[in-house]
């Protein structure tokens, strides 16, 4: 986990929003915004957010696949190849 060095107050965010947006675009480091001395939100670049969301989705798919595998619901790689080959042949 990366350490977050950009910790700013909500009043700083209000007065420097454009500068924060520029910093996010240039270096991609997220900002932790505090309210009454406690962390209340994280601001990050859209690209970084989208990458994290895609990673989370991929991890969920992998976890579901592993759950099915351990429950005996999966098939072997060779059986999968046979199924794919049969499906391709039926389309021709």
């Amino acid at each position: 986990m990366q350490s977050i060095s950009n910790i700013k107050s909500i009043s700083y965010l209000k007065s420097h929003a454009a500068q924060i947006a520029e910093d996010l675009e240039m270096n991609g480091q997220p900002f932790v915004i505090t309210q009454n001395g406690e962390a209340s939100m994280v601001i990050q670049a859209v690209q970084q957010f989208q990458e994290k969301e895609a990673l989370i989705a991929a991890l969920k798919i992998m976890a579901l696949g592993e759950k099915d595998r351990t429950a005996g619901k999966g098939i072997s790689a060779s059986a999968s190849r046979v199924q794919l080959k049969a499906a391709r042949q039926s389309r021709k």
Side-chain angles (χ1 to χ4, degrees), residues 68-87:
D68 284 349
R69 187 192 69 78
T70 57
K73 295 180 182 178
I75 61 173
S76 68
S78 60
S80 177
R81 286 187 199 102
V82 169
Q83 284 183 356
L84 286 170
K85 187 175 182 179

